[in-house]
């Protein structure tokens, strides 16, 4: 049930704790609109007079500007956590003071002076309008942009829920007096402060351990606001929206006061009206707003809001003509609030993500102060015109329509500058535009941008044209359809292939599909296969597509037949009897590459009957690529029973297989959960354990899973702590090379355990906070490290795991490079926790018994790992990776006088000399044979010809006795270079050293 709720709300595992701690703040803020702002407005209208509202708007605007300047100043002076708590507490105490005055006047002997009511209205309005940006800014600072897109609609829903609850409470409490309602808001704000304090402890305090920058002065912030084209135009837009909001609010109050002269009736009507509005709003926020923001993007929502407000003012203009003014105003005020509070608020808050963090807080409050000031002044001026009898309400509505049209144009300008701001922000590194391009563009792209991309298609360079096609893939299907259809006839095979990959099947018509059918008969098999796969979406020409796909099932190229099988499955949902088995059989008969294709077909088409065969491909001795493809297919089939077999190969597998297993576990989803938990309890190797914890992170919202992950992490941290005694114990035994290898392995295990623990803490708290903590712990500055450790000690995410990490990291840092005290018994017990550490300990004890490593010529796996570690080519690999290479390499003994390489003969093998001597020689152009050099242990032989299987330029002969070598096939070594860049770097270093030696020899010979 929880999983379905999270999927419906588009939440991820680490969103839930943050939502729970910030939701009460938005509930309290929402309650303030009815219990605070509306209550104060009702008291003022009845006890002081609605005719004074225009003057109050002006006074409120001036006070808002003053307080915005003060808040902007202190936001740069105080630490973030202290600032938000002090600002919130000050506002809360002022509300409590007003509530006490109201209660005393109602039930005590004290009579409030008449000027108290303007003070009440102004302070309540200022507090409400300043508390809103304070809470939104806090939510912005603790969320990444993508997380903000998921959480902000729900936080808006919490705000609206608060309005609904307070509306119901106000309606029920109205007979008891408005003072009771206002006093209740003061109490609710006190509860909100407790939530803010917890939010600050979890998320804001950790962020303060990052390097501090010089605070901006108020003048610097003001200059930044004025000079920024985006912010200055955004200020104009928000000012106009505030003016329209104030104008609509005045119209509502004027009409409502004439209909409900009694204070209690006015409050009850407003509460009912807001309950209706908020019910609609919360449905939109929870169910539709996230999808709407994804479709339109922030920029286009800013355009939609003023357009909607223009319509809102057009409604009363029309209904005034029909002599129905109250109905028109009441409908419009509800729609205005929906547009500004539901759509507008979260969108323009996200717009501040393009402002650098250093300027964001102060600029945000200044912008808020200015747009409220000028908006209220404008609204107050227009309201005064009506109060003085100069204009009528229909005229005010007509002015609102015209202003709304102007703001639509201004919103378009703001959107364009917002896009530029996203691009500029990438250069400064404070915004990850690559992961937020959907937030910026939504699903709509302007024609000018498309034209710019289309211009690349006229470039003569196919690479640039291919890049343009790739960019166009993200544009709307109807826009790119004619372009892709035209490119299907391009002369370049690469461009035709790229066009097929970007072809918008959903928008294609019959003529467009004819072009695809033509490509499906192209002589190039790769292009033919892509076109056949594309026909899966050809519903408009189903019969023609089906006919071509049936033909393609018998294509001589296996990859085309495989594509046809997948396409038919997608097109019809079924296949001709026996055809699937026939195509899969052809794939299997075509060799190792065919097995990979067969696995892809089985996974794509969900053929569960092949699960036993797929599982058999996971066995040791199978081709690595086939094993990887089988793991991916098992994931697509959600075969949780194959997880133990997949994980059995994981510790000794290459990076491709590991990535396939991780994706397979994610693809299986909740079906894999029981098996994952079972595997975790079997104490798997650290690399396997890490991937299990990483997969389990998606299910941390479940308390049992959360408890299991936390206990596993704490247990592993304790194991790593005990492993530290292994290194000094090995040194005490005199096996320094094994001690060094054990130290490297412990560091690898430590990295995996800490990485998994950080992931769990990030899932329970905040990824950004954890990243800041990790960075601070790597700082050379001791004070910063101590602050980070203090935060861990206090507890972040989960207190027990956080403290366990703090204890471990403190103990590691306190060692300061020194080994802990040797303890043989503890070391032996610690070694059992890891395969490689156990092998190292056994080898050390065996060595102590025979006292001489050189007497052993069997070169067991660990001996090979030790020798590979000393080889420059493999020096940068982990112990597990070295073990992988050592296990696939052959140990060969060559007798004295034999040739490993013969000049002019094809060579396919790279040799690493383990023992003995090998002479490298070559013949000159005159036919004379000369010795180039004699290779010693740990040096490479044959690397210049093995990669491309070319003739060897030299001869390599064993001299002075037998030689023992480690042999690696050139193809295998090339694959390892692709998987492990460190090997490629080591190979470059090895070749560079050899070139330098040859240059020196040439210099000496010259």
């Amino acid at each position: 049930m929880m999983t379905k709720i999270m999927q419906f709300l588009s939440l991820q595992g680490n969103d839930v704790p943050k939502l729970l701690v910030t939701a009460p703040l938005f509930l309290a803020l929402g309650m303030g609109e009815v219990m605070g702002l509306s209550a104060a407005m009702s008291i003022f209208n009845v006890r002081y007079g609605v005719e004074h509202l225009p003057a109050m708007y002006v006074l409120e605007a001036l006070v808002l500007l003053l307080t915005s300047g003060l808040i902007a100043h202190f936001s740069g002076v105080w630490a973030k956590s202290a600032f938000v708590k002090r600002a919130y507490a000050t506002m809360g105490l002022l509300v409590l003071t007003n509530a006490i005055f109201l209660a005393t006047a109602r039930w005590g002997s004290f009579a409030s002076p008449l000027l108290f009511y303007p003070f009440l209205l102004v302070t309540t309005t200022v507090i409400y309008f300043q508390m809103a940006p304070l809470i939104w800014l806090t939510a912005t600072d603790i969320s990444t942009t993508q997380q903000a897109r998921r959480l902000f609609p729900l936080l808006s829903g919490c705000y609206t829920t608060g309005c609904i609850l307070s509306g119901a409470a106000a309606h029920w409490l109205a007979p008891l007096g408005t003072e009771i309602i206002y006093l209740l808001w003061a109490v609710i704000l006190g509860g909100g402060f407790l939530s803010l304090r917890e939010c600050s402890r979890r998320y804001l305090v950790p962020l303060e351990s990052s390097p501090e920058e010089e605070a901006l002065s108020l003048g610097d912030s003001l200059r930044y606001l004025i000079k920024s084209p985006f912010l200055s135009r955004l200020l104009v837009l928000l000012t106009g929206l505030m003016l329209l909001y104030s104008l609509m609010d005045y119209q509502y109050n004027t009409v409502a006061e004439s209909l409900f002269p009694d204070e209690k009736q006015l409050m009850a009507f407003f509460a009912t009206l807001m309950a209706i509005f908020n019910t609609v709003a919360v449905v939109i926020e929870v169910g539709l707003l996230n999808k709407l923001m994804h479709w339109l993007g922030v920029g286009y929502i800013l355009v939609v809001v003023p357009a909607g407000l223009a319509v809102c003012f057009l409604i009363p203009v029309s209904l005034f003509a029909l002599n129905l003014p109250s109905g028109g105003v009441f409908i419009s005020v509800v729609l205005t609030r929906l547009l500004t509070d539901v759509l507008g608020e979260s969108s323009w808050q996200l717009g501040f993500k393009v402002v650098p963090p250093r300027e964001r807080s102060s600029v945000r409050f200044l912008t808020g102060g200015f747009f409220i000031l000028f908006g209220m002044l404008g609204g107050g001026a227009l309201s005064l015109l009506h109060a003085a009898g100069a204009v009528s309400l229909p005229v005010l509505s007509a002015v609102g329509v015209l202003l709304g049209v102007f703001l639509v144009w201004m919103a378009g300008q703001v959107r364009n500058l917002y896009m530029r701001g996203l691009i500029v922000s990438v250069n400064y590194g404070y915004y990850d535009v690559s992961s937020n391009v959907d937030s910026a563009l939504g699903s709509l792209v302007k024609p000018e941008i498309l034209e710019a991309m289309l211009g690349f298609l006229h470039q003569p360079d196919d690479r640039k044209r291919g890049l343009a096609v790739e960019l166009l893939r993200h544009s709307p299907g109807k826009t790119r359809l004619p372009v892709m259809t035209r490119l299907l006839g391009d002369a370049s095979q690469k461009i035709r292939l790229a066009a097929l990959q970007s072809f918008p099947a959903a928008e294609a018509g019959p003529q467009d599909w004819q072009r695809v059918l033509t490509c499906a008969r192209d002589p190039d098999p790769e292009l033919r296969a892509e076109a056949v796969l594309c026909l899966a979406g050809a519903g408009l020409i189903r019969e023609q597509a089906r006919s071509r796909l049936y033909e393609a099932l018998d294509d001589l190229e296996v990859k085309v037949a495989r594509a046809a099988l997948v396409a038919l499955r997608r097109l019809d949902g079924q296949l001709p009897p026996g055809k699937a088995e026939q195509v899969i059989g052809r794939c299997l008969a075509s060799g190792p590459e065919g097995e990979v294709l067969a696995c892809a077909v089985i996974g794509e088409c969900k053929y569960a009957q092949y699960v036993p065969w797929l599982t058999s491909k996971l066995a040791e001795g199978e081709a690595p690529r086939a094993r990887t493809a089988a793991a991916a297919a098992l994931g697509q089939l959600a075969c949780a029973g194959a997880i133990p077999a997949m994980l059995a190969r994981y510790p000794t597998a290459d990076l491709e297989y590991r990535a396939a297993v991780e994706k397979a576990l994610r693809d299986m989803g909740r079906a894999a959960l029981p098996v994952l938990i079972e595997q975790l309890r079997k104490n798997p190797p650290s690399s396997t354990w890490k991937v299990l914890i990483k997969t389990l992170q998606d299910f941390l919202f479940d308390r049992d899973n959360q408890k299991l992950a936390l206990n596993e992490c704490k247990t592993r941290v304790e194991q790593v702590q005990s492993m530290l005694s292994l290194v000094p114990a090995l040194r005490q035994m005199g096996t320094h090379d094994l001690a060094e290898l054990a130290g490297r392995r412990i560091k690898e295990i430590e990295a995996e355990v800490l990485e998994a623990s950080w992931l769990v803490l990030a899932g329970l708290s905040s990824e950004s906070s954890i990243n800041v903590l990790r960075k601070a712990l790597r700082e050379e500055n001791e004070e910063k490290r101590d602050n980070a450790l203090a935060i861990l000690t206090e507890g972040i995410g989960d207190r027990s795991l956080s403290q366990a990490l703090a204890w471990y990291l403190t103990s590691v840092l306190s060692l300061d490079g020194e080994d802990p005290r040797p303890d043989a018994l503890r070391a032996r017990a610690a070694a059992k926790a890891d395969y490689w550490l156990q092998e190292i300990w056994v080898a050390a004890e065996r060595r102590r018994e025979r006292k001489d490593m050189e007497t052993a010529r069997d070169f067991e796996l660990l001996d090979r790992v030790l020798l590979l570690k000393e080889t420059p080519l493999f020096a940068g690999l982990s112990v597990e990776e070295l073990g992988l290479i050592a296990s696939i390499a052959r140990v060969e003994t060559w007798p004295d006088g034999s040739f490993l390489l013969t000049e002019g003969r094809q060579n396919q093998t790279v040799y690493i000399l383990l023992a003995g001597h090998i002479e490298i020689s070559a013949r000159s152009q005159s036919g004379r044979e000369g010795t180039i050099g004699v290779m010693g242990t740990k040096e490479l032989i044959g690397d210049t010809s093995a990669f491309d299987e070319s003739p060897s330029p030299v001869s390599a002969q064993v001299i002075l006795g037998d030689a023992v070598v480690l042999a690696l096939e050139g193809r295998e070594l090339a694959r390892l270079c692709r998987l492990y860049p460190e090997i490629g770097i080591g190979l470059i270093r090895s070749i560079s050293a050899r070139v330098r030696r040859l240059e020196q020899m040439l210099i000496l010979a010259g």
Side-chain angles (χ1 to χ4, degrees), residues 926-939:
S926 61
R928 291 181 57 190
E929 184 174 2
T931 299
I932 297 176
V934 176
M935 310 296 281
T937 56
K938 305 169 189 173
E939 292 198 77

Side-chain angles (χ1 to χ4, degrees), residues 899-907 919-932 941-942 944-945 950-957:
F899 284 87
L900 279 74
L901 305 174
T902 301
E903 185 178 355
R905 290 188 181 178
Q906 191 180 45
N907 173 49
E919 180 185 43
I920 306 298
S921 61
R923 292 183 180 276
S924 64
Q925 290 183 351
S926 61
R928 291 181 57 190
E929 184 174 2
T931 299
I932 297 176
I941 305 162
T944 56
S945 56
S950 61
S952 174
V954 298
S955 295
Q957 185 180 21

Side-chain angles (χ1 to χ4, degrees), residues 7-53:
Q7 289 175 347
F8 174 75
L9 297 177
S10 302
L11 288 177
Q12 296 181 3
N14 59 348
D15 296 338
V16 177
K18 195 170 291 184
L19 178 64
L20 293 177
V21 78
T22 51
L25 288 170
F26 285 86
L27 279 170
L29 182 64
M31 289 181 173
E33 183 170 354
V34 175
M35 293 184 166
L37 192 60
S38 299
M41 183 70 74
S42 298
I43 293 172
F44 177 87
N45 288 346
V46 174
R47 302 183 189 182
Y48 201 75
V50 72
E51 65 275 8
H52 299 291
L53 271 180

Side-chain angles (χ1 to χ4, degrees), residues 834-852:
D834 179 71
Y835 168 80
W836 286 107
L837 291 180
Q838 190 168 7
E839 287 292 305
I840 290 170
W841 184 262
V842 170
E845 290 185 329
R846 189 184 302 141
R847 243 196 244 182
R848 186 170 56 178
E849 293 172 0
R850 66 192 184 198
K851 303 292 184 183
D852 185 9

Side-chain angles (χ1 to χ4, degrees), residues 867-878:
L867 287 163
L868 287 172
K869 181 178 72 70
E870 300 299 328
T871 304
L873 183 61
F874 304 106
L877 300 183
S878 69

Side-chain angles (χ1 to χ4, degrees), residues 136-137 140-141 144-145 148-149 152 224-225 228-235 237-238 293 297-302 343-357 359-361 363-364 367 414-423 425 430-431 436 439-440:
W136 275 110
L137 187 63
T140 302
D141 286 337
T144 62
T145 305
R149 287 185 61 205
F152 277 17
Y224 183 88
L225 174 61
S228 169
F230 167 69
L231 289 174
S232 58
R233 284 167 176 77
L234 179 64
L235 178 59
L237 174 64
L238 295 177
M293 289 183 70
V298 172
Y300 275 113
I301 287 182
L302 291 176
L343 273 182
E345 181 76 15
S346 57
S347 298
W348 71 266
Q349 293 287 354
L350 268 174
F352 279 97
K353 278 288 187 180
V354 302
V355 180
E359 291 87 0
R360 189 179 299 156
S361 296
V363 166
R364 167 65 184 81
T367 303
V414 170
R415 182 188 180 276
N416 292 336
L417 291 168
Y418 174 67
M419 292 299 303
R420 293 181 189 177
L422 292 178
I423 297 170
S425 64
Y430 52 80
Y431 190 87
N436 298 289
S439 174

Side-chain angles (χ1 to χ4, degrees), residues 546-547 549-551 553-554 564-569 572-583 607 609:
R546 186 184 292 116
S547 174
L549 291 176
Y550 274 105
E551 293 176 18
L553 287 173
D554 299 318
L565 192 67
V566 173
L568 271 173
R569 177 82 176 194
D572 291 339
Q574 57 186 1
L575 293 168
K579 274 294 182 182
E581 291 77 5
Q582 181 183 343
V583 173
Y607 291 140
Q609 64 268 32

